Amino acid sequence: MSSTVLVTGGAGFIGANFIHLLARTRPDWNIVNLDALTYAGNLENLSALEQSPRYRFVHGDIRRAEDVSRAFDTCGSGPVTVVHFAAESHVDRSITSGLAFVETNVVGTQMLLDHARARKVKRFVHVSTDEVYGSLGKEGYFTEETPLAPNSPYSASKAASDMLVRAAVHTHGFEALTTRCSNNYGPYQFPEKLIPLMIANASEDKEVPVYGDGQNVRDWLYVEDHCEAILAVLERGRPGEVYNVGGHNEYPNLEIVRRVLALLAKSESLIRFVKDRPGHDRRYAIDAGKIERELGWRPRFTFEQALPLTIRWYQSQTTWLQRVRNGAYRDYYARQYGS
Ligand code: NAD
Ligand code: DAU
């Protein structure tokens, strides 16, 4: 009997890349994608798989019991695993309004855990973030033992969801695992996040906004490397464990912006220093030693390889970018699926 992976949030940036990775590398697996298609969900990211008999899309919300039930029904009677990406993911939006973050990231995660346990799911991978650890000074790295100290409504809601996963493991012996990754970049990222926003704006000779002094540091990882790490955790991770994922690839934001501009052959005069993000975490850096030692995972892409690849992807996908920026991508579901 073939196994099925229920992916939540598969129409978003990392979820879509993960589904493409599964389609390429796990030919025997069935894939069910449960996604509410919020502003961040774009089914055009998965249009290449629409005709595949191994892929099914379920339009539904992880906060709604009937939607989650319907998604599990779609998985059939064979063994099922879950990879949980669905979330409100943008820090700036959480600062403007935090409620949706609690509803989806916290309530939605508990809804999914309850159903997954009732359905006797074999394994559940919860995709979390390094932001749950808070902010670092100039030195040091986040390890899996670093105390959680989230600073934004987004990271607080993710930390809460991590605790609910931990409780399901501890109380119910549920086979759940958590990954905490640093900043991703690559194809299909919504152009509200730093790198795609810089590419999109600069390509049109628009200003690129840099928050504060531009010296906040992030640890950048190519999305395909993150997806491979999640797959390794799904297949070989130790039940109940947390795995940090990162690229040892730390740069201040200003350096990232300068590199993007240089690769696009655009002038640095496009840079505009703007008001800082409230509560802006200064530095993230990941110690990924545990996943490297235990599961043999390592990033395959260097920044020098993958940043140009990412820029070329956006340059070759002008229709995708245009449809995202003018909102036309939101009609795709109705046209393809007829509702
Ligand atoms: P994204 O915002 O691009 O995609 C989120 C997806 O979840 C969208 O398709 C959206 O429609 C869906 N969704 C939102 N609310 C939902 C709901 N209530 N029910 C069902 N679907 C819903 O996010 P992303 O950047 O791909 O991040 C995916 C996951 O990885 C998130 O959990 C995020 O916290 C985590 N993460 C992201 C990064 C990063 O750099 N982007 C790094 C580490 C961890
Ligand atoms: O660390 C993992 C996290 O990375 C994920 O959990 C989040 O889902 C993801 O959005 C990302 O969070 P950040 O806040 O780090 O990403 P963002 O792309 O929004 O910002 C990256 C850095 O760039 C941050 O220091 C803020 C800054 N920035 C961002 C934008 C959008 C700017 O200077 N200008 C901008 O216009």
Side-chain angles (χ1 to χ4, degrees):
M1 197 177 284
S2 61
S3 68
T4 300
V5 189
L6 173 59
V7 175
T8 70
F13 163 47
I14 307 173
N17 278 284
F18 184 72
I19 289 176
H20 283 297
L21 176 69
L22 291 186
R24 283 198 307 275
T25 63
R26 298 296 182 273
D28 302 338
W29 295 11
N30 298 313
I31 305 161
V32 173
N33 173 18
L34 169 63
D35 199 297
L37 300 182
T38 68
Y39 81 92
N42 184 349
L43 272 188
E44 294 182 17
N45 298 349
L46 295 162
S47 57
L49 295 176
E50 258 155 30
Q51 303 308 321
S52 165
R54 296 168 40 217
Y55 168 76
R56 300 285 295 278
F57 174 64
V58 176
H59 187 204
D61 192 318
I62 59 167
R63 295 168 297 182
R64 288 167 53 95
E66 55 271 40
D67 292 0
V68 175
S69 249
R70 192 157 44 87
F72 278 112
D73 289 345
T74 307
C75 293
S77 54
V80 175
T81 54
V82 172
V83 181
H84 176 34
F85 294 93
E88 290 293 337
S89 71
H90 192 39
V91 173
D92 291 331
R93 287 179 188 256
S94 82
I95 293 168
T96 308
S97 175
L99 196 57
F101 288 72
V102 176
E103 288 172 353
T104 284
N105 301 359
V106 185
V107 177
T109 297
Q110 186 62 47
M111 180 71 77
L112 209 55
L113 285 167
D114 289 347
H115 282 256
R117 283 200 305 109
R119 299 282 184 144
K120 308 221 174 318
V121 156
K122 299 284 172 218
R123 259 188 170 212
F124 184 109
V125 176
H126 172 58
V127 181
S128 190
T129 168
D130 62 353
E131 296 200 13
V132 298
Y133 297 122
S135 186
L136 289 166
K138 283 200 168 62
E139 305 292 322
Y141 295 91
F142 297 133
T143 73
E144 290 80 0
E145 275 68 52
T146 303
L148 303 197
N151 288 320
S152 72
Y154 162 68
S155 54
S157 67
K158 291 296 288 189
S161 67
D162 289 17
M163 294 299 97
L164 295 173
V165 172
R166 178 190 150 92
V169 171
H170 185 81
T171 305
H172 300 291
F174 184 53
E175 197 160 317
L177 305 91
T178 297
T179 60
R180 294 188 182 135
C181 188
S182 57
N183 287 61
N184 284 211
Y185 65 101
Y188 304 117
Q189 188 167 29
F190 198 82
E192 64 182 352
K193 307 282 167 66
L194 182 70
I195 289 181
L197 181 68
M198 300 299 121
I199 298 172
N201 279 12
S203 302
E204 294 177 9
D205 293 310
K206 290 185 178 150
E207 292 179 353
V208 295
V210 173
Y211 298 166
D213 61 4
Q215 294 308 310
N216 300 65
V217 171
R218 298 292 183 264
D219 177 357
W220 294 94
L221 184 70
Y222 191 51
V223 64
E224 199 171 313
D225 282 324
H226 183 194
C227 291
E228 285 182 355
I230 293 166
L231 189 51
V233 170
L234 177 65
E235 294 185 320
R236 306 192 297 282
R238 280 189 294 134
E241 292 294 310
V242 172
Y243 292 93
N244 283 355
V245 185
H248 276 302
N249 190 50
E250 292 175 45
Y251 289 102
N253 295 334
L254 189 56
E255 173 65 18
I256 298 289
V257 173
R258 286 193 168 129
R259 284 185 183 223
V260 169
L261 291 173
L263 286 162
L264 288 167
K266 296 289 179 180
S267 161
E268 290 189 9
S269 64
L270 290 176
I271 295 174
R272 280 293 166 274
F273 288 94
V274 299
K275 193 168 167 296
D276 207 356
R277 170 186 281 175
H280 198 174
D281 285 338
R282 194 63 175 169
R283 174 172 167 257
Y284 304 146
I286 281 275
D287 177 345
K290 180 175 171 180
I291 190 170
E292 291 175 5
R293 281 189 308 277
E294 288 191 13
L295 307 183
W297 173 88
R298 266 182 191 70
R300 286 194 300 114
F301 293 87
T302 65
F303 201 51
E304 285 63 33
Q305 293 167 324
L307 187 61
L309 276 182
T310 302
I311 288 178
R312 280 204 292 279
W313 186 85
Y314 281 90
Q315 285 175 325
S316 69
Q317 300 292 325
T318 45
T319 309
W320 181 92
L321 189 56
Q322 203 176 30
R323 288 175 57 76
V324 169
R325 292 201 113 187
N326 67 20
Y329 73 107
R330 303 210 69 173
D331 302 335
Y332 187 82
Y333 173 71
R335 272 197 292 110
Q336 292 303 112
Y337 292 80
S339 62

